[in-house]
């Protein structure tokens, strides 16, 4: 099915200036994340190995600078979190209004084929998930791309061999993530279908509640509802199983990579190829990938 790219991005247009400022704050916050390990590296590598009589004064100045940068970073993150969700909620409102207006134009034949509960699910639950994509998608791409590229450049300058060792695990992590991404997408789609079925069953039962009570058919309606409810439970269980495999698998790969990098760094330290401060700085920047 063709994805309507132009239509998808058209909902950003009314809030473009605000969203650009949100992306700028996301860029600032992610960039400052890379600065703190560099300042610590400067203290351990240059300040503490120089003239100790002036070292304390420099440490205080750098500490003050780090405090100011931390305030800027947290202010930017607050703006991204608050205004980003606000923009997502506004887009969700626009989408819901547009869909509801479109529903008013559809024919009786369409409503004869479709269940009201299914349509209600489309205009409520599904739009909530779509609004999360609208505001989190570009933000996350910018934040993690800046951290990834910036940390890679810093690590290369600190120690190229350890950097290559770190990135050797990325293909494994990529293949693992792609596989479970497909499984999770199928599971999440199935969850949305099941909750739509529950909404449809509730709507059918409650809209005809007079008929149900007239024929004392309550137990049959409860049985049908429980069937849909149990289908939703099984769908959620399958999704949670895939989530557990995915997140714990990724964590296992990251831990294996960390231990591998740690061992290699100790070997280089023992062979006097890597200083103690550089080793600590490398691990500090590497943790940005976690």
């Amino acid at each position: 099915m063709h994805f309507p790219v132009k239509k998808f991005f058209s909902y950003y247009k009314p809030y473009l200036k605000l969203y650009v400022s949100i992306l700028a704050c996301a860029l600032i916050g992610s960039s400052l994340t890379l600065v703190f390990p560099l300042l610590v590296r400067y203290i351990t590598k240059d300040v503490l190995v120089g003239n100790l009589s002036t070292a304390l004064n420099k440490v205080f100045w750098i500490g003050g600078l780090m405090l100011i940068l931390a305030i800027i970073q947290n202010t930017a993150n607050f703006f991204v979190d608050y205004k980003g969700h606000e923009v997502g909620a506004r887009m969700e409102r626009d989408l819901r209004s547009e869909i509801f207006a479109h529903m008013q134009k559809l024919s009786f034949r369409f409503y004869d084929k479709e269940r009201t509960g299914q349509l209600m699910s489309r205009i409520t639950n599904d739009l909530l998930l779509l609004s999360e994509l609208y505001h989190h998608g570009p933000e996350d791409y910018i934040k993690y791309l800046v951290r990834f590229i910036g940390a890679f450049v810093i690590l290369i300058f600190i120690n190229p061999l350890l950097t290559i060792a770190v990135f050797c695990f990325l293909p494994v992590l990529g293949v693992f993530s792609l596989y479970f991404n497909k499984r999770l997408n199928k599971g999440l789609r199935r969850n949305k279908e099941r909750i739509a079925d529950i909404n449809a069953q509730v709507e059918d039962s409650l809209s005809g509640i007079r008929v149900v009570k007239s024929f004392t058919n309550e137990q049959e309606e409860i049985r049908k509802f429980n069937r849909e409810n149990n289908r939703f439970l099984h769908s959620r269980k399958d999704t949670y199983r895939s989530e557990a495999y995915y997140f714990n698998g990724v964590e296992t790969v990251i831990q294996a990579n960390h231990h591998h990098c740690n061992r290699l760094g100790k070997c280089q330290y023992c062979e006097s190829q890597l200083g103690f401060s550089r080793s600590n700085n490398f691990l500090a920047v590497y943790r940005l990938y976690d």
Side-chain angles (χ1 to χ4, degrees):
M1 185 174 64
H2 177 67
F3 183 77
V5 178
K6 188 175 180 180
K7 180 67 174 176
F8 179 83
F9 285 105
S10 66
Y11 294 99
Y12 285 104
K13 190 174 181 180
Y15 318 107
L16 189 59
K17 291 183 179 179
L18 176 60
Y19 200 72
V20 168
S21 64
I22 292 170
L23 295 181
C25 287
L27 179 63
I28 291 171
S30 297
S31 300
L32 290 178
T33 302
L34 299 168
V35 174
F36 293 107
L38 295 178
L39 292 175
V40 173
R41 180 172 184 255
Y42 173 72
I43 292 174
T44 56
K45 184 181 177 183
D46 298 319
V47 175
L48 297 181
V49 298
N51 187 359
L52 295 181
S53 61
T54 60
L56 187 60
N57 188 42
K58 289 182 179 180
V59 168
F60 279 127
W61 277 105
I62 295 173
L65 176 61
M66 293 176 71
L67 178 61
I68 294 172
L69 293 179
I71 293 173
I72 295 173
Q73 183 188 36
N74 283 280
T75 303
N77 290 338
F78 174 83
F79 185 82
V80 169
D81 188 45
Y82 173 51
K83 288 299 181 179
H85 282 91
E86 180 184 321
V87 168
R90 291 184 180 186
M91 291 181 182
E92 181 185 356
R93 177 202 60 188
D94 296 343
L95 282 162
R96 186 172 288 114
S97 298
E98 183 176 327
I99 292 176
F100 185 78
H102 178 69
M103 285 180 171
Q104 304 306 305
K105 303 174 185 177
L106 296 174
S107 64
F108 292 129
R109 181 180 299 177
F110 173 82
Y111 290 105
D112 289 339
K113 293 187 298 183
E114 298 293 332
R115 302 174 72 182
T116 304
Q118 292 274 356
L119 298 177
M120 290 176 62
S121 184
R122 298 289 88 79
I123 206 171
T124 53
N125 296 335
D126 293 355
L127 282 186
L128 177 61
L129 297 174
L130 188 58
S131 70
E132 292 292 307
L133 171 64
Y134 265 115
H135 81 85
H136 275 302
E139 293 169 17
D140 289 346
Y141 271 115
I142 287 181
K143 288 193 293 186
Y144 295 119
L145 191 62
V146 167
R147 291 182 186 181
F148 183 86
I149 296 175
F152 175 77
V153 172
I154 294 172
L155 292 177
I156 280 288
F157 276 101
I158 295 176
N159 191 293
L161 181 60
L162 283 180
T163 304
I164 294 172
V166 167
F167 278 79
C168 282
F169 282 79
L170 285 184
V172 178
L173 198 59
V175 172
F176 186 85
S177 299
L178 286 174
Y179 171 74
F180 277 99
N181 180 60
K182 292 181 179 179
R183 285 189 56 175
L184 285 171
N185 282 336
K186 290 180 181 178
L188 292 173
R189 177 183 290 274
R190 192 162 51 246
N191 287 345
K192 289 189 289 184
E193 293 171 353
R194 296 292 181 263
I195 195 65
D197 291 338
I198 289 178
N199 289 336
Q201 183 60 50
V202 170
E203 190 274 334
D204 289 345
S205 297
L206 296 183
S207 63
I209 192 65
R210 292 182 181 273
V211 176
V212 171
K213 287 184 174 295
S214 298
F215 290 91
T216 62
N217 211 22
E218 293 91 344
Q219 292 303 316
E220 176 63 19
E221 294 300 316
I222 292 173
R223 185 191 65 79
K224 290 192 289 185
F225 176 81
N226 287 338
R227 181 189 61 192
E228 298 297 341
N229 205 18
N230 287 328
R231 290 179 70 204
F232 180 58
L233 172 62
H234 293 317
S235 175
R236 291 287 293 272
K237 285 170 63 177
D238 291 340
T239 304
Y240 288 142
R241 185 185 301 113
S242 296
E243 282 185 2
Y245 279 128
Y246 172 67
F247 288 111
N248 285 281
V250 168
E251 186 65 27
T252 300
V253 174
I254 291 175
Q255 288 179 357
N257 192 9
H258 184 80
H259 293 315
H260 173 66
C261 176
N262 213 347
R263 286 194 299 270
L264 187 58
K266 289 177 180 178
C267 291
Q268 286 192 318
Y269 178 74
C270 292
E271 295 175 2
S272 301
Q273 296 178 7
L274 182 67
F276 180 74
S277 62
R278 293 180 67 191
S279 175
N280 285 338
N281 297 146
F282 186 93
L283 291 176
V285 178
Y286 168 72
R287 288 191 182 94
L288 295 175
Y289 285 109
D290 292 355

